[in-house]
Amino acid sequence: MTHSKSKLGFNGTWSMAVGGMVGGGIFSTLGVVIGIAGAWAWLSFAAAGLIALAAGYSYVKLAVHYGEGGGAFTFLREVNAEGFAGGISWVLIVGYVLTNAVYAFTFGQYFGNVAGLGPWFPRVTGITIVALFIVLNLRGVGKAAGVEVFLVWFKLVILLGIAGWGLSNWDAPMLSRGVPEAGIGAAFYGAAAVFMAYEGFQLLTYDYEDIDAPDRTLPRAVLSAIVIVSIVYVVVAVGTAMLIGAGEAVQHKEVALAIAGQKALGTAGLVIVTIAAAFSTGSAINATLFATARLAYKVAEDGELPAALDHKNKAGIPDRAVIGLGAASAVLAAVGTLSTLVEAASLAFLFTFAIVCGLAFLRRAGLRVVTGFGALAGITASTVLVFRLIRTNPITLVFFGSLVLIAFFGRPLLLRYVNSKSRHS
């Protein structure tokens, strides 16, 4: 048995939950949501935070209910919905790949903004950072709670510093300056589109056995982390607009916070925010790749992914999953656009989280008024995002729809074919 001192306590668990969300969330999505919701961007983050809070509640209550982590895949298998669990796992893994692509894209953009070496540089930098973390993961370099605690507080200080500077120069018209006028309804489109900024908390459910007294620590840490992150996102959204105006945030949406930092403190502010973005997105890539590769290994071990992924190297790392998932993220970071990657990832997580909330409701895990709200809100937000994508980006919707059809209907045939071919090769 692992001694409790080697396990994550409240501080480590809370820090990793905050780090998983802030890791790339606000650095990647702020300009996107301002472009959708205009002056109501802050409300988008608040509304998405409420959905995330209900989803987080459902996740931790199911983990406590079953006495194990593992997220949606494990929870659905507990109710003997193996086929459905397999389909959801495919959607969830693609969501993680998209999220890592967003982080890599953002990492490259922030460095490219400082370097000024042309449009090729951010793409190459994004690919390079993913390659680095593939190598680190293959060598068994995982997550370090102590480092995460430091990085989280560093990021929060920078973000709250920007927000405070902006709020101290309050000028309400800056919330909508330079962008088309948007009604309050646009906030809900923004909330749906930006939901991936909150997904990181549920990586903690995969670490259930590594948390000290998880039945008590996990709910307190995850739920308080979501509340704090929601508040930080709201004040940063408002403070950034106060500093540079909504139009500037949209025009430079890939690096909006760096522009705000430069406005506040000149070159020093630009450098500080760029460093914070690099640490944030880098640690988020590492943590997401770490968790997703292990999820993919577990799913493959249970026969719901190709058997080739059920393999570990001498360091005990699921090497093929690390390489495959990392390579897919790098390719998407190289060819995708920020808005497309963010909205596709948000749809994948809204879809998955709505199902988890529905399962918690049906199993009476926690207060049904909360889990029921999460299920309804997740379904509603997913529907809102689908209608938005029909108008603005139908190709992304076709991609996601094809993924869902393959995951739930084509998966058994595809697995039989791939595994049979693997056995005979």
Side-chain angles (χ1 to χ4, degrees):
M1 181 179 291
T2 305
H3 196 276
S4 63
K5 285 187 178 179
S6 66
K7 292 192 174 187
L8 288 169
F10 175 82
N11 191 27
T13 305
W14 183 89
S15 296
M16 295 187 81
V18 172
M21 289 181 278
V22 175
I26 192 70
F27 290 96
S28 304
T29 60
L30 179 58
V32 174
V33 74
I34 291 176
I36 295 170
W40 298 102
W42 64 271
L43 185 56
S44 294
F45 282 114
L50 282 177
I51 300 174
L53 190 61
Y57 179 84
S58 298
Y59 265 92
V60 298
K61 287 298 182 181
L62 282 170
V64 171
H65 180 76
Y66 292 119
E68 62 178 328
F73 178 72
T74 300
F75 300 152
L76 287 166
R77 287 184 68 84
E78 286 286 350
V79 295
N80 298 315
E82 284 85 358
F84 198 68
I88 281 294
S89 71
W90 281 38
V91 175
L92 190 57
I93 288 169
V94 170
Y96 287 135
V97 169
L98 288 164
T99 300
N100 252 353
V102 172
Y103 296 154
F105 181 95
T106 303
F107 183 96
Q109 291 295 326
Y110 273 85
F111 265 97
N113 179 59
V114 173
L117 294 177
W120 62 271
F121 183 76
R123 304 286 182 170
V124 172
T125 306
I127 294 171
T128 302
I129 192 63
V130 175
L132 172 64
F133 283 116
I134 288 175
V135 172
L136 290 176
N137 271 268
L138 290 176
R139 296 184 63 178
V141 180
K143 296 177 289 185
V147 173
E148 189 63 38
V149 170
F150 168 76
L151 289 177
V152 162
W153 284 106
F154 173 68
K155 290 178 283 192
L156 288 179
V157 168
I158 299 301
L159 290 172
L160 292 174
I162 291 174
W165 197 290
L167 292 172
S168 69
N169 295 281
W170 182 264
D171 182 9
M174 293 289 278
L175 288 170
S176 57
R177 183 170 298 170
V179 296
E181 186 175 346
I184 191 171
F188 300 103
Y189 285 103
V194 82
F195 190 73
M196 67 141 284
Y198 287 97
E199 61 80 24
F201 74 83
Q202 45 89 49
L203 293 176
L204 262 293
T205 62
Y206 303 135
D207 299 324
Y208 186 85
E209 294 180 357
D210 297 322
I211 296 172
D212 187 29
D215 290 4
R216 179 171 54 88
T217 302
L218 191 64
R220 290 168 56 226
V222 167
L223 298 181
S224 62
I226 294 172
V227 171
I228 293 299
V229 168
S230 299
I231 294 170
V232 170
Y233 284 175
V234 168
V235 297
V236 169
V238 176
T240 301
M242 292 296 111
L243 280 171
I244 62 175
E248 282 287 299
V250 174
Q251 183 180 347
H252 303 284
K253 63 183 176 183
E254 294 86 355
V255 292
L257 284 172
I259 303 301
Q262 187 173 22
K263 179 72 173 180
L265 295 174
T267 302
L270 172 64
V271 171
I272 290 170
V273 173
T274 299
I275 292 172
F279 278 127
S280 293
T281 52
S283 63
I285 291 168
N286 187 44
T288 305
L289 185 59
F290 182 94
T292 310
R294 283 149 186 77
L295 172 63
Y297 175 83
K298 179 178 176 58
V299 175
E301 197 176 33
D302 288 344
E304 295 294 349
L305 273 173
L309 295 175
D310 181 10
H311 182 272
K312 289 185 176 181
N313 64 13
K314 292 179 180 179
I317 304 301
D319 50 352
R320 294 173 183 171
V322 167
I323 294 169
L325 295 169
S329 298
V331 169
L332 288 172
V335 303
T337 64
L338 182 60
S339 295
T340 297
L341 293 171
V342 167
E343 291 180 341
S346 293
L347 186 55
F349 289 114
L350 280 169
F351 180 77
T352 305
F353 285 14
I355 289 170
V356 170
C357 289
L359 178 61
F361 180 85
L362 292 174
R363 305 305 293 180
R364 296 182 180 275
L367 297 172
R368 298 186 89 184
V369 66
V370 178
T371 57
F373 166 77
L376 290 174
I379 292 169
T380 302
S382 298
T383 304
V384 165
L385 186 51
V386 164
F387 279 112
R388 171 175 164 75
L389 291 173
I390 289 173
R391 292 187 291 106
T392 62
N393 200 344
I395 293 177
T396 298
L397 189 58
V398 170
F399 163 78
F400 185 80
S402 300
L403 166 66
V404 171
L405 289 175
I406 293 170
F408 287 98
F409 300 105
R411 186 189 78 262
L413 293 174
L414 188 61
L415 287 173
R416 275 198 295 270
Y417 172 75
V418 171
N419 291 338
S420 174
K421 189 174 180 179
S422 176
R423 283 193 297 270
H424 291 93
S425 61

